[in-house]
Amino acid sequence: MSYVDPRALVADDVQIGEDARVWAFSQLREGVVVGTGSSIGSHSYVGPGVRIGKNCKLQSGVLVFEGADLEDGAFLGPGVIITNDRLPRAIKPDGTRKSDDDWRIDRTLVRRGASLGAGALLVAGVTVGEFALVAAGAVVTSDVPPHALVAGVPARVMGWVCCCGARLQVEDHVGECSECTRTHQISSP
Ligand SMILES: CC(C)(COP(=O)(O)OP(=O)(O)OC[C@H]1O[C@@H](n2cnc3c(N)ncnc32)[C@H](O)[C@@H]1OP(=O)(O)O)[C@@H](O)C(=O)NCCC(=O)NCCS
Ligand SMILES: [Zn+2]
């Protein structure tokens, strides 16, 4: 059974999977899909057509704008922002208001198992690779490779992480976990 707080604003056609939860004062726009077992924290905004996979966890106050796609197991810390317009303008050069058709949405993808720390911001159009970890407060301006740990403004690779979250020791493109027995293929650098 899913749970939607009665104080959430959920558009009529939103699909909410089994065991999913939507907490108070969140808004889910038209066409949103929330996968089985996923949770959307209070005071969040999920834009039109955003797809949220299975077992994702969105903490409170996340802003996920139209054009984003979150694969299974994505984690968004409190206050994460996923934007959708690289060159935003409210008006056209002649000063008239832009309409909904006057702009292009850049798609943004958070791959399976990736985590975005508190207050991280994704500039429109980037892909965050599988099981990557974006540090708190990072501004991600380019694609993040799978298993990368990125931090800062703009975000830069500062290490590599296992699917369990611990650091990987990388040699010859093989990452060995410091906490569990897993190894991962690291494509770059
Ligand atoms: C990035 C992160 C994983 C690093 O953790 P860690 O491996 O324990 O690393 P350390 O704390 O030892 O820091 C290592 C270096 O990175 C820096 N650093 C740590 N977090 C950083 C961040 N968010 N942004 C920029 N630099 C950061 C440290 O200052 C340190 O720099 P130094 O070597 O020059 O002193 C962690 O700080 C983080 O941001 N986690 C996300 C937490 C979060 O938002 N959770 C959301 C759920 S509440
Ligand atoms: Zn591990």
Side-chain angles (χ1 to χ4, degrees):
M1 270 274 283
S2 60
Y3 171 76
V4 177
D5 189 289
R7 293 163 294 181
L9 273 178
V10 178
D12 290 342
D13 63 351
V14 168
Q15 295 174 44
I16 297 184
E18 192 71 11
D19 282 336
R21 285 150 295 159
V22 178
W23 298 103
F25 311 116
S26 286
Q27 182 177 16
L28 274 56
R29 295 284 306 275
E30 307 74 34
V32 165
V33 177
V34 181
T36 303
S38 288
S39 165
I40 297 172
S42 61
H43 300 276
S44 295
Y45 173 83
V46 183
V50 169
R51 302 180 73 83
I52 298 171
K54 294 180 198 156
N55 299 326
C56 292
K57 183 163 190 171
L58 281 60
Q59 298 273 38
S60 297
V62 302
L63 304 176
V64 182
F65 293 99
E66 185 175 7
D69 197 348
L70 312 182
E71 291 187 350
D72 296 351
F75 177 96
L76 275 56
V80 161
I81 301 177
I82 301 183
T83 66
N84 67 3
D85 188 355
R86 268 204 177 235
L87 300 169
R89 289 279 195 230
I91 54 173
K92 295 186 252 188
D94 65 3
T96 58
R97 185 169 65 91
K98 276 192 168 191
S99 72
D100 284 352
D101 301 328
D102 286 331
W103 61 297
R104 197 192 72 196
I105 293 174
D106 293 305
R107 304 201 69 82
T108 300
L109 177 60
V110 180
R111 290 234 183 252
R112 187 173 71 96
S115 297
L116 312 181
L121 184 147
L122 303 189
V123 171
V126 301
T127 293
V128 178
E130 283 199 5
F131 291 106
L133 174 54
V134 175
V139 174
V140 177
T141 57
S142 55
D143 291 351
V144 176
H147 293 281
L149 167 58
V150 301
V153 181
R156 304 276 187 226
V157 175
M158 63 179 273
W160 303 92
V161 284
C162 182
C163 49
C164 77
R167 292 290 187 111
L168 294 171
Q169 306 302 325
V170 181
E171 210 168 307
D172 294 333
H173 299 284
V174 177
E176 282 190 23
C177 182
S178 51
E179 295 284 329
C180 72
T181 54
R182 293 182 186 87
T183 58
H184 299 281
Q185 200 65 32
I186 301 300
S187 53
S188 52

